[in-house]
Amino acid sequence: YLRAIMRQDIAWHDARSTAGLASTFAETAQLVELGIGTKLSEGLRFLGQALGGVATGFYFEWDIALVLLAIAPFSIGSAAGLNTVTRRTSQRMAEAFGSAGAVCAEVLGAVRTVASFSAEPRERARFEALLAPAEAVGIRSGWQRGLAMGAMMGTENVLMAVGLVYGAFKIASERARGESNCAYTNSCKVSGGEVLLTIFAIDMGAQAFGFLGQAITALSKARTAAGRMKLTIERTPSIDAMSDEGLTPDAASVRGRIEFAHCAFRYPA
C-alpha cells in the first residue's frame, strides 16, 4: 500500500493534502489490521461459543433450552448494549481528553519558552480548564457503563432463575410420579447436573451472540478500508516512476542537458 502511494504521480498527490493522506494511510492500515487480526479471532470465538452453547443446551435438555431461548433475546440485547456503550464512551473519553492532551504536548514541546516567560501557572490553569469537561464525560461514561453492565447481569440472573425453576419443576414432577429412587439407580430422566449444564450453555451462548456484533462491525469496516486500499494499489499512473518499461537512455550518451520545448502542463487539482 505504501509502495502504491509512492508510485503515484504529482497530479494524484496534488488532489490530496499531505496531512489527510498520512492520517488516511494510518487509519486504513489500522482498520484492516483489526479486521484480519484480533477482531476476526474474537468473531470466530464468539460464533463458536454461541453455536456451541445452543447446541450443548439442546443436547442435554431440549425443552429447558427452548424455554431459555425465549428469554435469550433480552440477554443478547443487553450484551450488545454493553458493547455499544463501551465503544461510544471510549470514543467520547478520547475526544474529551484530546484537547487537554494537545495542550500538554504543546507545553512540553516548548517547555523552555514557557519557563522563560514564567508561564507555568497560566498553562496549568489552561490545562485544568480543559480537564473539567473531560471529568464530566468520565463520570457520565461510568454511569452508562455501570447501567449497561447491570442490565446484562440482571438479564443473566433472570435467565438462570427461569432455568432453575423450570428444571426444579421437571425434577419434582419426575419424583412425584413415583420415581424418587431413580437417583440411586442412575435412571433419572432429568438430573440437576444436566439442568445446570443447559442453563450455563444457553447463557454463555446468548452473551456470545450479543458480543458478536462488535466483530461483525470491525470486519465490515476492514472490508471497506481494504476496498479503498485495493483501488490505490491497482491504480496505474500515467507517469509511473517505478516502471521499468519504455526506452532507457545509454549512460555514455547522457550529457546532463535537458530541454523542454512546446510543452503544456495540466493538473487535475
Side-chain angles (χ1 to χ4, degrees):
Y1 183 43
L2 178 61
R3 185 179 186 277
I5 293 178
M6 297 294 294
R7 70 182 289 219
Q8 301 303 320
D9 52 6
I10 300 299
W12 187 85
H13 286 280
D14 283 344
R16 294 160 178 81
S17 63
T18 304
L21 183 62
S23 61
T24 302
F25 175 82
E27 180 183 0
T28 303
Q30 185 179 11
L31 289 175
V32 173
E33 180 184 2
L34 287 175
I36 63 177
T38 57
K39 295 303 178 183
L40 179 60
S41 61
E42 288 180 1
L44 294 176
R45 177 172 68 88
F46 287 137
L47 181 62
Q49 178 180 338
L51 298 179
V54 174
T56 302
F58 274 94
Y59 175 77
F60 285 103
E61 295 292 339
W62 64 270
D63 50 347
I64 298 179
L66 283 177
V67 173
L68 296 180
L69 284 180
I71 311 174
F74 296 99
S75 181
I76 295 173
S78 61
L82 175 62
N83 186 19
T84 303
V85 169
T86 302
R87 185 179 67 254
R88 291 181 178 178
T89 52
S90 298
Q91 293 177 353
R92 292 172 184 171
M93 290 289 291
E95 294 174 357
F97 282 100
S99 301
V103 171
C104 182
E106 178 186 354
V107 172
L108 291 178
V111 64
R112 293 183 179 179
T113 304
V114 173
S116 63
F117 287 98
S118 301
E120 294 91 340
R122 183 173 62 86
E123 296 298 334
R124 184 183 62 185
R126 185 160 67 105
F127 178 73
E128 292 177 353
L130 292 174
L131 282 180
E135 181 182 3
V137 172
I139 295 174
R140 186 166 60 251
S141 299
W143 277 100
Q144 292 175 353
R145 290 185 182 181
L147 291 175
M149 178 64 73
M152 189 187 73
M153 299 301 295
T155 54
E156 179 182 357
N157 291 334
V158 170
L159 186 143
M160 294 183 66
V162 172
L164 289 174
V165 170
Y166 185 71
F169 173 76
K170 287 192 62 178
I171 294 175
S173 299
E174 186 177 12
R175 301 295 191 273
R177 290 194 299 267
E179 302 178 5
S180 57
N181 295 326
C182 65
Y184 301 100
T185 60
N186 198 21
S187 61
C188 297
K189 297 180 180 179
V190 183
S191 65
E194 293 180 350
V195 171
L196 290 178
L197 281 173
T198 303
I199 294 173
F200 284 115
I202 297 297
D203 180 33
M204 298 301 293
Q207 289 187 14
F209 269 119
F211 289 118
L212 189 60
Q214 183 179 7
I216 294 176
T217 302
L219 289 175
S220 178
K221 292 182 179 180
R223 183 178 179 182
T224 303
R228 295 195 303 265
M229 184 183 295
K230 185 173 181 291
L231 290 176
T232 305
I233 294 175
E234 294 181 348
R235 183 184 184 275
T236 302
S238 57
I239 303 175
D240 191 355
M242 297 185 180
S243 177
D244 296 330
E245 299 179 358
L247 299 177
T248 302
D250 187 9
S253 62
V254 176
R255 299 180 179 179
R257 179 182 178 183
I258 301 176
E259 181 179 352
F260 296 93
H262 306 291
C263 295
F265 296 94
R266 177 180 177 273
Y267 292 99

